[in-house]
Amino acid sequence: MLLTPDSLATAQRSLGDPALDYPLLPPLTTGCPRTGTEDVAYPLELDYAYDKVDTAALFAPAAARTGLERWAPLLPPLLAPGLGEGATPLVEIAPGVHVKDESRNPTWSHKDRLNRCTTSAALAVGARGIAVASSGNHGASAAAYAARAGLRCVVFAGPDLPPAVDSFLTAYGAVVLPVPWEARWPLMRQAVERYGLHPVSNLTATHTGHPYGPEGYKTVAYEIFQDVGTPAAVFVPTGYGELLYGVWKGFTELHRLGLADRVPRIHSCESAAGAPLATAIGRGVPAARVEVGATSAYSIASPVGGYRGVVALRESGGRALTLSDRQLAEARAELARNGLWAELSAAAGLAGLRSLDASELPDDGPLVCISTSSGFKDREVGRRATAPVAPEWPEVERRLRAAGLAD
């Protein structure tokens, strides 16, 4: 089923049983109906007519690579107008260590790649608007793409919604509803059912999310490949595991199409305050629920994981890394010393790499850390960090000496 001449997407396929497929529409946002249980919902992915991909044209060097249109044949039909998402820089911060800076997307996070695809799905099914449960990057991005597409957006946020993110959401005209964390998904389900909204975040007990969303994240892998070829390993900040899965699938497609000679190891980088993916891997189960402890890395502090992450780690030979706030803060400071202002959660990729000994790092290619979003999204943004200085030279000199600038 082809909705546009550009997209080669053909069907939705179950990750619970790859032999099961479904039509491309409607998107099955509650997971595979034939493999799910009360405890585990299995996500779906999209399948494509890979034999029809013109690899020479699609992966040829491009002078201007902005917007997911660049990769349209290997994406769901892009019905929603874009904002120039993608084509983010790959910055080498040390010999052989690169950072994919996703803060350069239109709403300053990787979520723009996902929401271009999910908002397109909302248009495809004729929804009047979209609904999302988020207190950060996902909500801000969903609100922007909904506004661009002429759709309403309802955001069920947490009670501690950062003021900067609240302003971001409101600027796009979103309906912002801060509620207790445990109430977000149940209330969102009711809004979807009663008001004809299209859900662009999770509805199930374990994480399935939207089947179209992670397809947008494949483009991160395509861009890395064009910049440095196949890396030895990719370190991915991980909450629900959608970005992790998308990056893995992108490299898998590159290998399937004969462009890459292998798939790199894909490592998940979670907050140790929760780490549902590491828990699932340790228990040998498809997905896990955990209690989340205190952490400032709110964007990746997830109480529930999903099967996508398990697949990405298992198939790539990656590791489930867990990180303390201290390790995240050290990585964020290292990024800042290299001119990159990252959200604490966004520094998890570099923190994951730095958590390994040199002997544990592969040497068969470059190492890539994904930095998912701007430091603007952190909770402390908006609080004044610098005290005023008296307009007198002795005080200025004292500050300069304290900063280590004295001769």
Side-chain angles (χ1 to χ4, degrees):
M1 177 182 182
L2 300 178
L3 297 186
T4 71
D6 294 329
S7 175
L8 295 175
T10 58
Q12 298 176 84
R13 188 171 300 283
S14 172
L15 290 188
D17 180 353
L20 300 177
D21 59 22
Y22 303 89
L24 204 54
L25 291 174
L28 299 180
T29 55
T30 56
C32 174
R34 289 185 275 178
T35 58
T37 68
E38 289 185 5
D39 298 323
V40 179
Y42 288 96
L44 295 106
E45 64 170 351
L46 296 195
D47 201 2
Y48 298 84
Y50 290 105
D51 59 328
K52 296 181 180 179
V53 177
D54 183 346
T55 55
L58 186 59
F59 291 93
R65 301 183 317 171
T66 57
L68 293 196
E69 296 88 352
R70 170 79 174 80
W71 311 107
L74 288 175
L75 293 175
L78 296 175
L79 305 184
L83 291 167
E85 61 287 330
T88 56
L90 192 67
V91 181
E92 188 171 20
I93 64 168
V97 176
H98 302 259
V99 173
K100 182 68 167 167
D101 185 9
E102 288 294 285
S103 74
R104 311 293 184 93
N105 279 298
T107 73
W108 310 336
S109 91
H110 65 302
K111 290 290 184 179
D112 291 345
R113 299 179 191 260
L114 176 147
N115 279 299
R116 176 77 189 280
C117 296
T118 55
T119 304
S120 292
L123 290 174
V125 298
R128 63 187 299 191
I130 62 176
V132 58
S134 170
S135 289
N137 295 312
H138 192 10
S141 176
Y145 280 83
R148 175 78 168 135
L151 299 174
R152 300 301 305 275
C153 180
V154 177
V155 181
F156 289 91
D160 51 354
L161 175 67
V165 176
D166 191 7
S167 298
F168 211 1
L169 293 167
T170 303
Y172 292 127
V175 179
V176 184
L177 303 172
V179 297
W181 285 99
E182 65 276 7
R184 293 187 308 160
W185 287 358
L187 291 173
M188 191 183 78
R189 282 194 291 268
Q190 291 189 57
V192 166
E193 293 167 359
R194 299 185 183 191
Y195 288 93
L197 301 173
H198 189 68
V200 298
S201 58
N202 194 55
L203 293 173
T204 54
T206 58
H207 193 273
T208 56
H210 198 291
Y212 285 29
E215 301 297 314
Y217 291 146
K218 297 186 307 184
T219 61
V220 173
Y222 302 160
E223 292 172 14
I224 291 172
F225 180 76
Q226 287 213 312
D227 286 340
V228 295
T230 304
V234 184
F235 295 80
V236 185
T238 300
Y240 297 128
E242 292 178 299
L243 175 60
L244 185 80
Y245 180 82
V247 171
W248 168 78
K249 185 176 179 182
F251 279 111
T252 299
E253 289 179 334
L254 289 165
H255 183 255
R256 176 175 182 166
L257 293 169
L259 296 166
D261 61 354
R262 56 189 167 81
V263 176
R265 289 168 282 277
I266 312 292
H267 300 301
S268 62
C269 304
E270 293 180 282
S271 167
L277 178 53
T279 300
I281 294 293
R283 294 176 181 172
V285 296
R289 295 186 66 89
V290 297
E291 294 292 329
V292 177
T295 176
S296 295
Y298 75 98
S299 290
I300 56 172
S302 303
V304 59
Y307 186 55
R308 284 192 182 97
V310 171
V311 171
L313 294 187
R314 182 187 68 210
E315 297 298 322
S316 75
R319 295 174 58 176
L321 305 174
T322 58
L323 307 156
S324 67
D325 276 19
R326 178 186 59 79
Q327 289 172 299
L328 294 172
E330 289 172 354
R332 180 175 61 178
E334 182 179 351
L335 291 171
R337 290 194 297 271
N338 283 278
L340 302 175
W341 185 36
E343 181 185 356
L344 185 66
S345 298
L350 180 58
L353 185 154
R354 296 306 187 205
S355 74
L356 300 179
D357 293 331
S359 61
E360 298 178 283
L361 295 173
D363 58 4
D364 54 343
L367 303 173
V368 175
C369 305
I370 298 177
S371 180
T372 47
S373 63
S374 165
F376 168 81
K377 307 292 182 61
D378 270 324
R379 286 176 174 151
E380 66 265 24
V381 169
R383 302 173 189 168
R384 184 162 185 163
T386 307
V389 179
E392 301 168 355
W393 173 248
E395 177 62 13
V396 172
E397 185 177 39
R398 186 185 71 79
R399 293 287 187 97
L400 295 177
R401 287 181 176 276
L405 292 175
D407 294 334

